Amino acid sequence: MAAASTENAMRSSGFARVLIYLILILFALFYLLPFGIMLINSLKPLSEITGGNMIALPRDWTIAPWLSAWSTAQIGVEPTGLRPYFINSIVMAVPAVLLSTIVGALNGYVLTKWHFRGATIIFGLLLFSCFIPFQIVLIPMARILGILDIAGTTPGLILVHFVYGIGFTTLYFRNYYAAFPTELVRAAQIDGAGFFQIFWRIMLPSSGPIIAVSFIWQFTNIWNDFLFGASFASGGGAPMTVALNNLVNSSTGVREYNVHFAGAIMAAAPTLLVYIVAGRYFVRGLMAGSVKG
């Protein structure tokens, strides 16, 4: 009798698992459908798309739309393709991510291991900055960039994203370091280690999971940003998202949808790659700072 009950339970469990997997696969296919259509149409000649065969597989496979989007498509005045703007986004995103992560780590370290009067207020103000809409800071930031004489430049965009990202990175590192044993810091102080020695040799080497979270979050936000790029960049210094918008809206005559699809995939590829390669570390890093002990 007990054996029969166990067998029935195993069958029910197996059926439920298969059902769950089927539902998840269905949702995944539904979610990936737009990307699949974009990819298929980016490998078609334009004549097949305009002929009404948008969902069908290409009859004549071609990478010409990708080559055009990368190097010869009309972006504004010059037919430069997306290549220089892709480089602009790399040059903008990498320093902004590194700077905001380092400063956020220092802030989290100070707020949790070097207690001082007003620390809670400062953290509250930094936390409040996470909820300030982009639109509110446009005019003040434009004024500051003008005073610093870096308006319309890549260093100006780096500064904007660096400042706007400090609140988020501080929040991540503060919560992570709150669960870090304070006794290790006190022991290092007794042994004569200073402020930066403790940070570089004890805190930072143990911060791998939350550094991954900060990198992924900041890179995704900075790379996908359009508002700051459209507001504070100009001409050849624009990031990838602004260039993609210009590609779609500056086309004259026949709209080359296959080129537009290829350009959109190029713009999305870095963040997709980051999440595919390091997505598991994002969840692991968030969970690492959520439970103390």
Side-chain angles (χ1 to χ4, degrees):
M1 192 72 177
S5 299
T6 303
E7 185 178 352
N8 291 334
M10 292 179 62
R11 287 179 180 177
S12 299
S13 176
F15 176 77
R17 184 177 300 178
V18 171
L19 182 61
I20 291 173
Y21 282 145
L22 288 176
I23 293 174
L24 291 175
I25 291 172
L26 181 63
F27 277 112
L29 292 175
F30 180 78
Y31 182 79
L32 292 173
L33 182 61
F35 178 79
I37 292 176
M38 289 174 58
L39 181 60
I40 289 172
N41 285 280
S42 69
L43 298 171
K44 290 180 182 179
L46 183 60
S47 58
E48 291 190 28
I49 298 176
T50 55
N53 295 322
M54 182 168 284
I55 299 180
L57 291 174
R59 290 192 298 269
D60 297 319
W61 296 81
T62 177
I63 61 170
W66 287 77
L67 298 176
S68 176
W70 180 248
S71 59
T72 62
Q74 189 78 27
I75 310 292
V77 178
E78 298 293 333
T80 59
L82 293 172
R83 178 173 53 188
Y85 304 96
F86 187 92
I87 296 173
N88 288 345
S89 287
I90 293 290
V91 172
M92 171 191 69
V94 172
V97 169
L98 291 175
L99 289 172
S100 59
T101 299
I102 291 173
V103 172
L106 280 169
N107 289 344
Y109 167 52
V110 171
L111 291 171
T112 55
K113 305 307 177 187
W114 297 80
H115 298 289
F116 58 92
R117 182 178 298 177
T120 303
I121 297 175
I122 292 176
F123 176 65
L125 292 174
L126 286 169
L127 184 61
F128 177 73
S129 69
C130 298
F131 302 97
I132 298 177
F134 286 6
Q135 294 82 353
I136 292 179
V137 302
L138 290 180
I139 294 177
M141 190 63 73
R143 177 62 177 162
I144 292 173
L145 295 179
I147 293 173
L148 297 176
D149 197 26
I150 53 176
T153 65
T154 300
L157 277 178
I158 293 174
L159 177 63
V160 170
H161 289 294
F162 161 61
V163 171
Y164 203 85
I166 289 176
F168 292 99
T169 57
T170 299
L171 172 63
Y172 297 147
F173 281 96
R174 188 265 182 191
N175 291 343
Y176 186 82
Y177 288 154
F180 189 87
T182 305
E183 292 77 11
L184 292 178
V185 177
R186 299 292 175 257
Q189 288 178 303
I190 294 173
D191 290 339
F195 177 88
F196 286 105
Q197 283 181 312
I198 295 173
F199 177 71
W200 289 109
R201 295 185 180 181
I202 298 177
M203 304 299 292
L204 208 58
S206 65
S207 304
I210 206 64
I211 288 175
V213 171
S214 180
F215 273 26
I216 294 171
W217 176 268
Q218 281 295 94
F219 182 81
T220 302
N221 283 343
I222 293 172
W223 187 274
N224 290 337
D225 171 70
F226 175 79
L227 182 61
F228 286 159
S231 302
F232 302 130
S234 60
M240 186 73 165
T241 50
V242 176
L244 179 63
N245 177 72
N246 293 340
L247 169 65
V248 175
N249 293 315
S250 65
S251 300
T252 58
V254 178
R255 288 191 173 273
E256 298 178 310
Y257 295 109
N258 50 355
V259 176
H260 298 170
F261 286 135
I265 295 174
M266 288 180 187
T271 51
L272 287 174
L273 182 62
V274 165
Y275 271 103
I276 291 172
V277 173
R280 57 180 176 174
Y281 299 108
F282 185 81
V283 177
R284 187 183 302 173
L286 288 177
M287 295 300 296
S290 63
V291 180
K292 188 171 183 178

